[in-house]
Amino acid sequence: TLMEQFTGMDQLEKKLAALFQIERCLIVSGNSDEQEKVIGEFGELIDEALQRQLPDGRNIIAVMGGTTMAEVARHVSPLETNKRHNLFVPARGGIGEAVAIQANSVSALMAANAHGEHRVLYVPEQLSENAYHTLLKEPSIKGVLAMIKEANCVVHSIGRAVHMAARRKMSEDEIIRLKQKNAVAESFGYFFDENGAIVHKVPRIGLSLEDIQKMPIVLAVAGGKSKAKAITAYMKNAPKQTWLITDEAAANEILKGK
Ligand code: G3H
């Protein structure tokens, strides 16, 4: 299997998992900043992790968006069996991404490749807080939200704070404030400083960081030398059951001087 091909990485994987105090790290050789195929390999490892970890019965898999997740979704293979049924949902709604990389789209693509089902959370990307709270009272939205809250698995990426803020069209003021608070990482619409402390939250529905702490299966996927700081920051308070799928370039940068 792909996992076995990477046993040369064994030491690096163990070091990184120990540093972050998480269950497992899987490292792909190369640098996803420069080699697109590395992200495809992340996808194959995510597929294997899902095959191995998803129990029989009904699973609800919450997925986040982003360019990494969109590529990962393309590499998911059928996960259905006679005994195992999988429903894919977006982990959070409306955090401000382009359609192709929104959590809704990633979840739909994963479901199609996994031969599972999916539900869409219809929340416009740019919405005032008032409109947002009204929307929360809609029965169709409430229904999907309840499913999201029951998820037993989450797959997500980690981004660089200012890069994500700019891509999601946050205001100049907000970006300045993020910089003042030394935000370096973003995941699930939360921004973190170097110590892993939350310095900003995008007020959106779906999974909260608290929900994720209790979730049985947590798969984080992020690589590239450029994301080393972001990964380190997010991992400071990541759930212990997390599996991190990353690449050699990020791992070496993170472990430099450690
Ligand atoms: O939350 C993190 C972002 O979704 C990461 O986005 O995969 O495009 O770097 P990216």
Side-chain angles (χ1 to χ4, degrees):
T1 65
L2 250 169
M3 266 185 209
E4 283 151 4
Q5 282 173 34
F6 294 116
T7 45
M9 290 295 181
D10 217 38
Q11 284 311 100
L12 204 55
E13 289 173 343
K14 290 209 169 95
K15 254 189 174 172
L16 203 57
L19 175 70
F20 293 149
Q21 295 178 281
I22 57 173
E23 197 170 299
R24 185 122 196 227
C25 282
L26 297 170
I27 301 174
V28 173
S29 56
N31 180 1
S32 60
D33 284 339
E34 287 153 14
Q35 302 155 285
E36 179 126 30
K37 75 166 200 327
V38 172
I39 302 177
E41 287 170 20
F42 292 164
E44 288 169 42
L45 289 176
I46 290 283
D47 181 53
E48 277 195 40
L50 290 170
Q51 294 286 2
R52 281 172 55 158
Q53 290 198 61
L54 288 174
D56 285 343
R58 181 181 147 84
N59 296 297
I60 301 183
I61 300 135
V63 305
M64 285 300 301
T67 59
T68 311
M69 286 299 300
E71 179 61 24
V72 161
R74 298 184 54 225
H75 297 266
V76 167
S77 65
L79 296 167
E80 294 285 302
T81 67
N82 286 341
K83 290 184 191 152
R84 184 165 74 184
H85 303 290
N86 307 300
L87 173 70
F88 292 79
V89 291
R92 301 200 83 194
I95 56 171
E97 297 276 29
V99 174
I101 61 168
Q102 276 172 22
N104 272 326
S105 316
V106 174
S107 144
L109 179 58
M110 270 201 190
N113 288 339
H115 296 176
E117 290 179 69
H118 78 278
R119 294 286 183 279
V120 174
L121 188 63
Y122 290 109
V123 183
E125 292 292 300
Q126 309 289 341
L127 203 61
S128 73
E129 249 189 277
N130 275 345
Y132 190 75
H133 287 292
T134 309
L135 218 87
L136 278 187
K137 294 180 187 130
E138 280 299 314
S140 65
I141 290 182
K142 271 188 170 167
V144 180
L145 214 48
M147 292 175 194
I148 294 173
K149 290 284 182 183
E150 277 175 45
N152 60 327
C153 172
V154 64
V155 191
H156 72 94
S157 188
I158 302 156
R160 286 169 292 151
V162 175
H163 178 84
M164 294 311 302
R167 188 171 90 192
R168 292 178 186 159
K169 311 256 180 323
M170 285 171 68
S171 71
E172 279 300 317
D173 277 1
E174 281 176 305
I175 293 177
I176 289 168
R177 256 176 278 142
L178 282 177
K179 286 180 181 163
Q180 283 167 345
K181 290 177 181 167
N182 300 315
V184 293
E186 185 279 345
S187 200
F188 299 104
Y190 292 78
F191 289 84
F192 307 85
D193 68 13
E194 239 159 359
N195 301 315
I198 299 166
V199 295
H200 181 71
K201 274 183 222 181
V202 180
R204 286 295 177 262
I205 46 175
L207 290 182
S208 67
L209 278 187
E210 262 169 53
D211 298 326
I212 292 147
Q213 291 294 335
K214 292 171 278 178
M215 206 161 289
I217 307 169
V218 181
L219 305 177
V221 52
K225 191 177 174 190
S226 67
K227 280 193 181 178
K229 247 191 191 167
I231 295 169
T232 303
Y234 172 79
M235 284 297 157
K236 290 259 156 82
N237 293 314
K240 299 301 164 215
Q241 69 277 29
T242 300
W243 283 31
L244 170 67
I245 287 85
T246 190
D247 59 27
E248 214 179 347
N252 285 331
E253 184 70 13
I254 291 164
L255 290 165
K256 219 190 234 172
K258 290 250 156 59

